[in-house]
Amino acid sequence: MSETGRTEGRALAKDILMAGRSGDRAGRTTRLVAVSPLEGFYRHRAKRWVDLALTLLAILPVSLLIGVIAALVALEGGRPFYLQPRVGRDGRVFRMIKIRTMVRDAEAALERHLETDPDARQEWDHHQKLRHDPRVTRLGRFLRRSSLDELPQFFNVLRGDMTLVGPRPFMPGQQHFYPGTEYYRMRPGITGFWQTSVRNEASFVQRATYDRSYYQALSLPTDLRVLLRTARVVWRGSGQ
């Protein structure tokens, strides 16, 4: 990530964390969020309509791009797509569609790496991800930096498993690390507060603060701002 991106990301993170602390002073949970009738209509009805409208507009070029990427991944050997279980709204587990960016037997490779590298073990335990992940292929690194590996999730949006803007979906095995509750009241998103700020620097546990802040700020203007910020993040290639 560029220095400008880091500065902007930290500024957003500071705003989010301050909002999260304000929410903490009002109580650890936010079951009763005061919203206007218009905001409530967006939360419970119109947000899904916006998801469908924008996804249907984008699905044709997205599908063509996915086809090209899948062909390149297939040249490396193996299937270009796989399904990974993720936790959705109300704790329901769904299968998220992903483009393969890792070597075969990735989990075994991860365990071998963590057993021989204490620093990597500490990083994994704190972030639940690695900056220099030995499982990721050369093409996979490009796809992650450019966030192109996220494109198949548009089909999860069409299915109703996900939303365009929301908390980042995590795996069932990570639930015991996650301290928040707001996540379970929303569909997980392709992008969101955490994804467009300091996602490679914040701990996994800190994601709950970002999700709580988004739950409190959820509205059409908020989602549009996040989508615009996402475009800048993708342009800079700051994914991982």
Side-chain angles (χ1 to χ4, degrees):
M1 182 183 295
S2 67
E3 189 60 35
T4 301
R6 289 178 184 274
T7 302
E8 186 180 49
R10 290 192 183 103
L12 174 63
K14 182 178 179 181
D15 293 341
I16 292 170
L17 291 171
M18 290 299 293
R21 292 191 186 106
S22 298
D24 286 345
R25 286 194 290 269
R28 291 297 296 177
T29 61
T30 53
R31 294 181 185 279
L32 299 177
V33 176
V35 297
S36 68
L38 184 60
E39 289 174 332
F41 177 72
Y42 179 75
R43 283 173 177 260
H44 301 296
R45 298 291 182 189
K47 181 174 173 65
R48 177 62 180 157
W49 300 345
V50 171
D51 281 343
L52 289 174
L54 294 180
T55 301
L56 289 172
L57 284 173
I59 200 65
L60 181 57
V62 164
S63 297
L64 294 173
L65 187 53
I66 289 174
V68 173
I69 295 170
L72 294 174
V73 173
L75 291 175
E76 293 186 330
R79 297 179 178 179
F81 301 104
Y82 69 101
L83 302 177
Q84 188 176 62
R86 294 294 174 109
V87 178
R89 188 168 62 176
D90 298 325
R92 182 180 65 86
V93 176
F94 68 96
R95 295 189 178 276
M96 189 169 75
I97 308 169
K98 294 180 68 72
I99 291 178
R100 184 173 59 82
T101 58
M102 295 185 178
V103 299
R104 296 181 183 181
D105 299 322
E107 293 307 313
L110 174 64
E111 286 304 316
R112 289 193 299 269
H113 181 65
L114 297 182
E115 287 174 1
T116 58
D117 190 332
D119 291 336
R121 168 61 73 180
Q122 184 177 11
E123 182 183 357
W124 177 261
D125 290 344
H126 187 66
H127 294 282
Q128 288 292 289
K129 64 190 305 181
L130 299 174
R131 282 187 177 274
H132 304 290
D133 196 324
R135 301 171 295 171
V136 181
T137 65
R138 181 183 300 179
L139 176 60
R141 284 193 291 273
F142 167 75
L143 294 176
R144 289 184 171 209
R145 283 198 306 271
S146 60
S147 299
L148 291 174
D149 62 318
E150 311 282 358
L151 291 179
Q153 293 163 35
F154 276 95
F155 292 100
N156 285 114
V157 174
L158 287 179
R159 286 170 52 88
D161 298 324
M162 296 179 64
T163 180
L164 293 177
V165 180
R168 181 63 182 157
F170 53 74
M171 294 181 287
Q174 296 173 318
Q175 279 186 277
H176 64 284
F177 293 112
Y178 187 84
T181 58
E182 287 78 9
Y183 175 96
Y184 299 102
R185 302 180 195 134
M186 301 177 281
R187 288 185 177 91
I190 296 177
T191 187
F193 275 12
W194 177 80
Q195 296 95 309
T196 56
S197 56
V198 289
R199 64 178 181 177
N200 296 328
E201 299 177 10
S203 71
F204 182 82
V205 171
Q206 286 177 315
R207 284 169 56 167
T209 301
Y210 292 84
D211 296 344
R212 185 181 310 122
S213 298
Y214 174 69
Y215 181 78
Q216 294 169 341
L218 200 163
S219 66
L220 178 59
T222 296
D223 283 358
L224 293 177
R225 284 195 295 270
V226 171
L227 290 173
L228 290 174
R229 185 177 292 272
T230 300
R232 292 197 293 270
V233 170
V234 171
W235 179 255
R236 294 189 185 111
S238 57
Q240 185 174 345

